[in-house]
Amino acid sequence: MENNATKYGTLYMIPCPIGDGEVYDVLPEANRRRMASIDYFIVENARTARRFLSRAAIGRPIDELTFVECNEHTRPDELGRMIAPLLAGRDAGFISEAGVPGVADPGAEVAALCHARGVRVVPLVGPSSILLALMASGQNGQSFAFNGYLPVKPAERNKAIRTLERRALAEGQSQLFIEAPYRNDRLLADLLAALAPATRLTVAVDVTGAEEYIRTLSVAEWRRQTRPALHKRPAIFIVGR
């Protein structure tokens, strides 16, 4: 397998800016050179990926590039076809809609199949709202867990919130999670109702964007504050002690 790997292409996991600012304010210039060398992209959304590559000014016509979509609608039996060009020696890039592929975004399944087939997978440097929020939060960065989305049903959600709080308080492990942007305000209200007053809560919104807002306060302090407007804004929530 190791000998075959030299004949294969390489899968590059390409970060995409989270906000709408200048691409190279948040991505290394070296990413441009790598993206310019690739003509085959596996993407979460072709339209978003085309717009990103156009903004990145990679120096080649976007219409000359090949895009295949990999998202929640992709069937497992389609993945083999997606990596076939890599097995034939062609490099590929994976791009999610925002942030880093494979972390709270599609990409892991394609990367896993590449590993199984002996194809090299290379992550490029770029913004992850999860890590950036944690970096700025003042919460414990030595031990943390990303929990994805919490349940939608109120009773199940409150149970999940209390479970994460117990873990944060007992183990000192920061608990990170997200919500669909149109439900952010409801989640913040539920957090402030369910968590103990001394528990620390971080709200990080529009990370790397022009309207970036990152604040960590105790729940008691949050209850006395005017709540930030979160509706339809990408947000990360962190519970800690």
Side-chain angles (χ1 to χ4, degrees):
M1 182 175 291
E2 190 168 319
N3 290 336
N4 286 340
T6 63
K7 303 175 185 178
Y8 295 160
T10 298
L11 176 66
Y12 292 93
M13 306 296 274
I14 301 173
C16 181
I18 302 165
D20 293 324
E22 290 296 322
V23 170
Y24 293 102
D25 284 345
V26 292
L27 292 181
E29 173 65 27
N31 284 20
R32 188 203 310 264
R33 296 191 295 273
R34 179 54 61 194
M35 289 187 290
S37 72
I38 300 171
D39 63 3
Y40 175 61
F41 293 90
I42 306 170
V43 302
E44 182 177 4
N45 181 287
R47 182 179 179 183
T48 301
R50 287 174 178 272
R51 186 164 61 244
F52 162 53
L53 292 172
S54 179
R55 288 171 55 209
I58 61 174
R60 63 190 304 172
I62 304 303
D63 290 341
E64 293 181 359
L65 307 177
T66 300
F67 297 88
V68 296
E69 291 192 344
C70 179
N71 48 44
E72 68 274 15
H73 304 297
T74 302
R75 301 190 310 272
D77 61 359
E78 296 178 293
L79 299 179
R81 173 178 54 82
M82 292 181 183
I83 73 162
L86 287 136
L87 298 177
R90 191 177 182 184
D91 288 344
F94 197 108
I95 305 173
S96 62
E97 285 204 69
V100 295
V103 180
D105 269 318
E109 293 86 355
V110 173
L113 185 56
C114 283
H115 283 294
R117 299 291 176 84
V119 175
R120 185 181 179 214
V121 180
V122 175
L124 300 187
V125 175
S128 164
S129 59
I130 297 168
L131 290 180
L132 292 173
L134 182 60
M135 287 166 61
S137 70
Q139 304 270 28
N140 186 5
Q142 298 294 326
S143 178
F144 58 91
F146 176 67
N147 298 279
Y149 294 91
L150 300 189
V152 175
K153 294 181 178 179
E156 294 177 6
R157 171 176 290 198
N158 284 338
K159 181 179 178 181
I161 290 171
R162 294 181 188 281
T163 297
L164 294 178
E165 180 183 38
R166 284 196 298 271
R167 189 177 303 159
L169 298 180
E171 302 174 18
Q173 184 182 70
S174 301
Q175 301 297 316
L176 294 79
F177 45 91
I178 56 177
E179 179 55 284
Y182 66 91
R183 289 201 296 257
N184 279 335
D185 289 325
R186 180 69 262 171
L187 175 56
L188 180 56
D190 289 345
L191 289 167
L192 296 184
L195 296 171
T199 297
R200 292 200 303 157
L201 173 65
T202 300
V203 178
V205 190
D206 290 330
V207 177
T208 77
E211 303 298 322
E212 179 181 87
Y213 174 96
I214 304 174
R215 193 82 189 272
T216 300
L217 297 169
S218 71
V219 169
E221 291 171 313
W222 274 116
R223 289 170 179 165
R224 294 193 293 268
Q225 299 283 319
T226 299
R227 299 176 189 177
L230 305 181
H231 187 59
K232 293 188 176 180
R233 299 170 69 188
I236 303 288
F237 299 90
I238 309 175
V239 170
R241 69 181 183 190

